[in-house]
Amino acid sequence: MGSLRVSAERETCVTSSLCVYRLPQVFDQDEEGRVVVLDDRPPDTLRDELRRAWRGCPTRSIQVEGLSSEEGDTTP
C-alpha cells in the first residue's frame, strides 16, 4: 500500500476522460462518463503519473493526499 490517497468529486466531473487515459489502473468512468476511483491507495511508483492526472483535470475533481506541495498536494 502506498502513501498516496486518491479521491474524486463525481459531482464536478465533466467527463473529459483525461484521468482514465493517464492512469487506467487508478481511474475509470461510470455509464454516465463520470470519474470512478478504482484504486484509492495506488503505489508510490505511480506518483508522477498521478500528479499529471491531478493537474490535467479541468475541474480539479481529483484530490490526492500524499503529494508534496511542489507536486500539488491537495491536502487541506
Side-chain angles (χ1 to χ4, degrees):
M1 181 181 327
S3 62
L4 302 170
R5 184 163 182 103
V6 180
S7 60
E9 293 293 327
R10 295 174 39 80
E11 298 79 26
T12 59
C13 178
V14 293
T15 69
S16 73
S17 306
L18 294 174
C19 58
V20 177
Y21 291 126
R22 290 177 196 246
L23 275 172
Q25 64 270 53
V26 175
F27 300 104
D28 199 358
Q29 293 174 287
D30 66 12
E31 54 280 343
E32 296 175 352
R34 295 190 186 267
V35 64
V36 174
V37 177
L38 298 175
D39 183 359
D40 68 341
R41 294 285 198 167
D44 287 335
T45 56
L46 296 179
R47 180 177 296 275
D48 290 340
E49 292 89 346
L50 189 55
R51 179 179 31 81
R52 285 192 283 278
W54 173 78
R55 287 186 174 165
C57 179
T59 59
R60 297 288 190 241
S61 296
I62 297 170
Q63 293 83 44
V64 182
E65 294 177 34
L67 293 178
S68 70
S69 60
E70 299 85 41
E71 294 175 301
D73 190 350
T74 61
T75 305

